[in-house]
Amino acid sequence: MAIINRPSNLFQGGHWYTLDGKSCHKVEGKNGKMRATTLRDARQLGLLPSVTGIIGMMDKSQLTQWKMRETAKASIGMDIQPNEDPDTYADRVIDRAMNQVGDAADLGTEIHAALENVLRGAAIECPEHLKVYVSPVIKTLRERGVVVTDSEKVLVNTDEGFAGQVDALFTWGAPGQPNQGILDFKTKRTKPDQKVAAYESHVLQLAAYAATHYGAGYLDRVNAVNIFISTTEPGRIEVVKHDGKRLIEAWKAFRNLAAVWRFSKRFDPRQTLEVGE
């Protein structure tokens, strides 16, 4: 599930996985404290980049504009301190901008955790303040006959050298002839009457997961769906489905992005697989 990143890592970072599908987003530093995993760590440990890390190679103009807008707004009323150099001032502005969206990030994380518990059938009551976000999603899935077969599953693609965690795998359709699908939740700030649309990065992500789990040859039959959950209009959700043709195109594009990632990082995780065989 995608949410606004925390202030400390909005402009950096990435997720990494071991070859057996375990997350390795942090490692222990020389001082004994946990820190974010770096590319250098990944090379040493033979880690796989995440799907979102690879998609990060593509410019996302909407996200870039949002970052710039939030930073510009945060600078209003902030003066440069005596003897403060421009870089330090810029860092203060960025920190302030990112702290202003921290509450939204926390809410997104809470919604995601609550949905995961419900979909997995965990005996954990959904917190009352989250039901307004979670209940419409569950109701929509049930009304459409969606049966979640797996949740928060890590998928590893050894052919292209990446991994990632999918929100949900599901079946849908008449008994005995179910269609298979893949689902990703997105929390999003919306405005009344404003249309919600998926970005290229969203379909790229679903295509990578679908090709990894079901196989590239099955993409034209996979139900790939984004469910957008509004954090500014509680109760509003929008379902966006991507057709098979678009999914096939997205998978081809993602593989090209993966090649660019390997070239630019000078690191091919697939070589680790070859050594280990």
Side-chain angles (χ1 to χ4, degrees), residues 29-264:
K30 293 181 179 180
N31 60 0
K33 296 181 179 180
M34 300 303 291
R35 59 170 175 76
T37 303
T38 65
L39 178 60
R40 181 178 180 180
D41 297 323
R43 289 195 180 102
Q44 294 176 342
L45 300 174
L47 303 178
L48 301 173
S50 67
V51 169
T52 51
I54 289 175
I55 294 175
M57 298 302 299
M58 182 180 69
D59 176 61
K60 293 180 281 294
S61 59
Q62 299 94 342
L63 179 59
T64 301
Q65 291 174 3
W66 173 80
K67 290 178 181 179
M68 294 174 65
R69 189 180 301 111
E70 291 300 314
T71 303
K73 290 191 295 185
S75 68
I76 298 175
M78 288 187 67
D79 298 324
I80 296 180
Q81 301 299 315
N83 301 319
E84 183 178 37
D85 64 87
D87 287 341
T88 301
Y89 170 73
D91 288 340
R92 283 203 301 116
V93 171
I94 291 173
D95 286 342
R96 181 181 182 184
M98 296 309 98
N99 282 324
Q100 289 175 351
V101 301
D103 289 344
D106 291 338
L107 177 58
T109 300
E110 287 186 285
I111 293 172
H112 178 260
L115 275 169
E116 179 183 351
N117 288 332
V118 173
L119 294 177
R120 286 187 169 182
I124 301 176
E125 181 68 21
C126 179
E128 193 64 34
H129 71 288
L130 297 179
K131 288 182 179 179
V132 68
Y133 306 104
V134 174
S135 296
V137 175
I138 302 303
K139 179 182 178 182
T140 296
L141 294 179
R142 290 174 178 170
E143 289 177 346
R144 301 191 180 201
V146 171
V147 178
V148 174
T149 57
D150 212 332
S151 177
E152 299 301 323
K153 181 180 179 64
V154 175
L155 305 175
V156 176
N157 191 305
T158 56
D159 291 333
E160 297 297 330
F162 67 84
Q165 185 167 290
V166 62
D167 284 344
L169 300 170
F170 68 88
T171 58
W172 168 86
Q177 293 183 323
N179 295 307
Q180 294 178 309
I182 196 157
L183 177 63
D184 190 69
F185 300 111
K186 305 290 184 188
T187 54
K188 182 179 179 64
R189 293 184 177 186
T190 62
K191 296 180 180 179
D193 301 321
Q194 183 181 62
K195 182 179 179 180
V196 174
Y199 297 149
E200 287 81 1
S201 59
H202 299 155
V203 66
L204 284 168
Q205 184 179 23
L206 284 169
Y209 291 150
T212 300
H213 184 69
Y214 297 114
Y218 194 73
L219 289 178
D220 60 334
R221 288 164 283 174
V222 173
N223 289 279
V225 180
N226 283 123
I227 292 185
F228 293 93
I229 305 166
S230 175
T231 56
T232 51
E233 298 177 85
R236 178 183 178 183
I237 66 169
E238 298 288 344
V239 179
V240 177
K241 180 180 177 181
H242 307 280
D243 62 49
K245 181 179 179 181
R246 182 66 169 163
L247 214 59
I248 292 172
E249 293 174 344
W251 171 237
K252 291 179 180 178
F254 181 86
R255 291 182 65 193
N256 288 331
L257 282 174
V260 172
W261 187 96
R262 293 191 296 267
F263 173 78
S264 65

